Amino acid sequence: DGRLWMLVQRRSLTRTIGAGLYSSIGGKREDFDLNSRSTAMREVFEETGLLDLGRLEGTPPPLQEIAEESGAHAPVQFHIFARSRYVDWWFIL
């Protein structure tokens, strides 16, 4: 129907900084993340529970298993659209 949707999260109202703030999904790269793509997949799953990412190539095995069991479908696209020194931005369709 031509509409686009954006997934954001609302921070807890009990937070000292940014209480109630709407923000994009994300987080920092951990030592065990292979690259920024795996960081993005992990963070989206951790913060939203979106299982569709588990159907993508390169997803950590535990997430793949959960996605398979749930019947999730792979997103149409999952690509990086911007990079900077500290942050990479990804989109999911």
Side-chain angles (χ1 to χ4, degrees):
D1 64 7
R3 295 183 293 173
L4 293 176
W5 299 87
M6 182 175 179
L7 179 63
V8 295
Q9 64 182 345
R10 185 172 186 207
R11 294 176 61 98
S12 170
L13 295 172
T14 61
R15 304 247 346 172
T16 306
I17 298 173
L21 176 75
Y22 287 94
S23 63
S24 59
I25 310 304
K28 98 177 197 154
R29 186 173 182 175
E30 301 292 345
D31 292 338
F32 53 82
D33 290 331
L34 300 175
N35 50 41
S36 78
R37 185 175 194 265
S38 63
T39 300
M41 287 189 287
R42 179 182 54 76
E43 287 290 344
V44 168
F45 179 70
E46 286 178 359
E47 296 184 13
T48 68
L50 184 65
L51 297 175
D52 298 30
L53 293 177
R55 304 300 289 183
L56 294 172
E57 184 178 325
T59 304
L63 179 53
Q64 286 178 2
E65 292 169 17
I66 294 168
E68 277 185 40
E69 291 171 5
S70 75
H73 299 280
V76 175
Q77 295 183 31
F78 182 63
H79 296 285
I80 193 166
F81 69 90
R83 292 178 191 234
S84 71
R85 183 173 177 188
Y86 300 107
V87 177
D88 291 342
W89 293 89
W90 291 77
F91 72 87
I92 303 167
L93 293 177

